[in-house]
Each structure stands twice: as structure tokens, then as C-alpha cells.
Amino acid sequence: MFVKVFKAQLQAMFDLSKTALKILGYFMNATRVNTDLVLFDVEDCKKITGYNSYFPIWKGLMELLEKEIIAKGKHQHLYYINPNFFFNGDRIMII
């Protein structure tokens, strides 16, 4: 899979904790082509990140929300990725 990370946002990535980076990796993996909406599956996230408990996942998720890399959707397990940070697909399609 190919995900575009925008140069202007690389510094924000370096400022993330190790936990948040793992959760960001999950989001990059879960992002589908030409959409900024991700269905967050905590069990799948545990498998991908290697965490055995929910605490680090929620901690990393909160950090990504605070740094506006992701945003909550209308439903409990839906999140939007910030397309100014990274995107999977043709960015022209969502503008």
C-alpha cells in the first residue's frame, strides 16, 4: 500500500510519542483509497501495534486527536484522517 505523507507535516510526526506513532501506523494501514474516513477496530489495532491492553491504544488515539492528525466522526468507531497530514489516493478526488 502507498500512503502520501506531506512534507509540511513531517515535523509533527517526529513530535509524536512512540505509542502515537504505532497508532498512526494503524490508521495509515486502515485508510482506504480516496477516502479520509477510517473505521477504527480496537482489536485489529491491538494486533497491528502489538499492544496487549487497551490503555496505550487509547493514549495514542488521544494524542492523535489532540494534534489534529485525526478527528472523531459522527459514530463511535469512525475517525477522519487529516488529509493535510497524509492521504491514500488522488487528493484531487476529495477537494
Side-chain angles (χ1 to χ4, degrees), residues 33-44:
V33 176
N34 291 328
T35 184
D36 60 352
L37 190 62
V38 173
L39 177 60
F40 183 74
D41 181 336
V42 71
E43 295 300 325
D44 192 37

PDB file of all heavy atoms in Angstrom, residues 33-44:
ATOM      1  N   VAL A  33      -8.372   3.708  -0.143  1.00  0.00           N
ATOM      2  CA  VAL A  33      -8.081   4.603  -1.253  1.00  0.00           C
ATOM      3  C   VAL A  33      -9.196   5.637  -1.419  1.00  0.00           C
ATOM      4  O   VAL A  33     -10.378   5.297  -1.391  1.00  0.00           O
ATOM      5  CB  VAL A  33      -7.882   3.798  -2.557  1.00  0.00           C
ATOM      6  CG1 VAL A  33      -7.681   4.717  -3.750  1.00  0.00           C
ATOM      7  CG2 VAL A  33      -6.707   2.847  -2.412  1.00  0.00           C
ATOM      8  N   ASN A  34      -8.768   6.899  -1.574  1.00  0.00           N
ATOM      9  CA  ASN A  34      -9.644   8.033  -1.865  1.00  0.00           C
ATOM     10  C   ASN A  34     -10.725   8.295  -0.823  1.00  0.00           C
ATOM     11  O   ASN A  34     -11.813   8.744  -1.148  1.00  0.00           O
ATOM     12  CB  ASN A  34     -10.274   7.891  -3.248  1.00  0.00           C
ATOM     13  CG  ASN A  34      -9.251   8.054  -4.342  1.00  0.00           C
ATOM     14  OD1 ASN A  34      -8.290   8.801  -4.204  1.00  0.00           O
ATOM     15  ND2 ASN A  34      -9.428   7.343  -5.430  1.00  0.00           N
ATOM     16  N   THR A  35     -10.433   8.003   0.432  1.00  0.00           N
ATOM     17  CA  THR A  35     -11.356   8.361   1.495  1.00  0.00           C
ATOM     18  C   THR A  35     -10.554   8.821   2.700  1.00  0.00           C
ATOM     19  O   THR A  35      -9.418   8.400   2.897  1.00  0.00           O
ATOM     20  CB  THR A  35     -12.292   7.194   1.884  1.00  0.00           C
ATOM     21  OG1 THR A  35     -13.218   7.663   2.859  1.00  0.00           O
ATOM     22  CG2 THR A  35     -11.545   6.009   2.426  1.00  0.00           C
ATOM     23  N   ASP A  36     -11.153   9.701   3.466  1.00  0.00           N
ATOM     24  CA  ASP A  36     -10.491  10.182   4.680  1.00  0.00           C
ATOM     25  C   ASP A  36     -11.166   9.626   5.927  1.00  0.00           C
ATOM     26  O   ASP A  36     -10.867  10.019   7.033  1.00  0.00           O
ATOM     27  CB  ASP A  36     -10.444  11.712   4.718  1.00  0.00           C
ATOM     28  CG  ASP A  36     -11.824  12.350   4.693  1.00  0.00           C
ATOM     29  OD1 ASP A  36     -12.815  11.630   4.494  1.00  0.00           O
ATOM     30  OD2 ASP A  36     -11.897  13.579   4.859  1.00  0.00           O
ATOM     31  N   LEU A  37     -12.074   8.683   5.751  1.00  0.00           N
ATOM     32  CA  LEU A  37     -12.821   8.074   6.854  1.00  0.00           C
ATOM     33  C   LEU A  37     -12.256   6.696   7.169  1.00  0.00           C
ATOM     34  O   LEU A  37     -12.020   5.892   6.270  1.00  0.00           O
ATOM     35  CB  LEU A  37     -14.295   7.952   6.469  1.00  0.00           C
ATOM     36  CG  LEU A  37     -15.271   7.555   7.567  1.00  0.00           C
ATOM     37  CD1 LEU A  37     -15.296   8.602   8.674  1.00  0.00           C
ATOM     38  CD2 LEU A  37     -16.659   7.394   6.986  1.00  0.00           C
ATOM     39  N   VAL A  38     -12.020   6.435   8.468  1.00  0.00           N
ATOM     40  CA  VAL A  38     -11.468   5.152   8.903  1.00  0.00           C
ATOM     41  C   VAL A  38     -12.377   4.548   9.966  1.00  0.00           C
ATOM     42  O   VAL A  38     -12.761   5.228  10.922  1.00  0.00           O
ATOM     43  CB  VAL A  38     -10.041   5.322   9.482  1.00  0.00           C
ATOM     44  CG1 VAL A  38      -9.537   4.025  10.080  1.00  0.00           C
ATOM     45  CG2 VAL A  38      -9.094   5.827   8.417  1.00  0.00           C
ATOM     46  N   LEU A  39     -12.729   3.300   9.808  1.00  0.00           N
ATOM     47  CA  LEU A  39     -13.457   2.549  10.823  1.00  0.00           C
ATOM     48  C   LEU A  39     -12.415   1.974  11.777  1.00  0.00           C
ATOM     49  O   LEU A  39     -11.614   1.128  11.381  1.00  0.00           O
ATOM     50  CB  LEU A  39     -14.289   1.433  10.199  1.00  0.00           C
ATOM     51  CG  LEU A  39     -15.051   0.530  11.164  1.00  0.00           C
ATOM     52  CD1 LEU A  39     -16.043   1.336  11.998  1.00  0.00           C
ATOM     53  CD2 LEU A  39     -15.765  -0.570  10.406  1.00  0.00           C
ATOM     54  N   PHE A  40     -12.407   2.459  13.009  1.00  0.00           N
ATOM     55  CA  PHE A  40     -11.401   2.061  13.992  1.00  0.00           C
ATOM     56  C   PHE A  40     -11.835   0.778  14.678  1.00  0.00           C
ATOM     57  O   PHE A  40     -12.856   0.725  15.345  1.00  0.00           O
ATOM     58  CB  PHE A  40     -11.221   3.177  15.025  1.00  0.00           C
ATOM     59  CG  PHE A  40     -10.150   2.882  16.031  1.00  0.00           C
ATOM     60  CD1 PHE A  40      -8.823   2.964  15.692  1.00  0.00           C
ATOM     61  CD2 PHE A  40     -10.481   2.507  17.323  1.00  0.00           C
ATOM     62  CE1 PHE A  40      -7.830   2.692  16.618  1.00  0.00           C
ATOM     63  CE2 PHE A  40      -9.503   2.237  18.256  1.00  0.00           C
ATOM     64  CZ  PHE A  40      -8.175   2.325  17.903  1.00  0.00           C
ATOM     65  N   ASP A  41     -11.035  -0.270  14.502  1.00  0.00           N
ATOM     66  CA  ASP A  41     -11.291  -1.565  15.119  1.00  0.00           C
ATOM     67  C   ASP A  41     -10.205  -1.793  16.158  1.00  0.00           C
ATOM     68  O   ASP A  41      -9.056  -2.079  15.816  1.00  0.00           O
ATOM     69  CB  ASP A  41     -11.262  -2.652  14.050  1.00  0.00           C
ATOM     70  CG  ASP A  41     -11.541  -4.046  14.581  1.00  0.00           C
ATOM     71  OD1 ASP A  41     -11.325  -4.290  15.796  1.00  0.00           O
ATOM     72  OD2 ASP A  41     -11.963  -4.896  13.792  1.00  0.00           O
ATOM     73  N   VAL A  42     -10.550  -1.641  17.431  1.00  0.00           N
ATOM     74  CA  VAL A  42      -9.553  -1.699  18.500  1.00  0.00           C
ATOM     75  C   VAL A  42      -8.855  -3.062  18.566  1.00  0.00           C
ATOM     76  O   VAL A  42      -7.656  -3.129  18.836  1.00  0.00           O
ATOM     77  CB  VAL A  42     -10.142  -1.278  19.858  1.00  0.00           C
ATOM     78  CG1 VAL A  42     -11.107  -2.316  20.400  1.00  0.00           C
ATOM     79  CG2 VAL A  42      -9.060  -0.990  20.869  1.00  0.00           C
ATOM     80  N   GLU A  43      -9.553  -4.132  18.284  1.00  0.00           N
ATOM     81  CA  GLU A  43      -8.932  -5.459  18.300  1.00  0.00           C
ATOM     82  C   GLU A  43      -7.918  -5.595  17.164  1.00  0.00           C
ATOM     83  O   GLU A  43      -6.831  -6.141  17.359  1.00  0.00           O
ATOM     84  CB  GLU A  43      -9.986  -6.564  18.222  1.00  0.00           C
ATOM     85  CG  GLU A  43     -10.912  -6.621  19.423  1.00  0.00           C
ATOM     86  CD  GLU A  43     -10.173  -6.860  20.751  1.00  0.00           C
ATOM     87  OE1 GLU A  43      -9.164  -7.596  20.754  1.00  0.00           O
ATOM     88  OE2 GLU A  43     -10.600  -6.293  21.768  1.00  0.00           O
ATOM     89  N   ASP A  44      -8.256  -5.092  15.992  1.00  0.00           N
ATOM     90  CA  ASP A  44      -7.328  -5.096  14.875  1.00  0.00           C
ATOM     91  C   ASP A  44      -6.124  -4.204  15.184  1.00  0.00           C
ATOM     92  O   ASP A  44      -4.984  -4.557  14.873  1.00  0.00           O
ATOM     93  CB  ASP A  44      -8.040  -4.608  13.611  1.00  0.00           C
ATOM     94  CG  ASP A  44      -7.247  -4.855  12.353  1.00  0.00           C
ATOM     95  OD1 ASP A  44      -6.580  -5.904  12.252  1.00  0.00           O
ATOM     96  OD2 ASP A  44      -7.294  -3.989  11.454  1.00  0.00           O
TER      97      ASP A  44
END
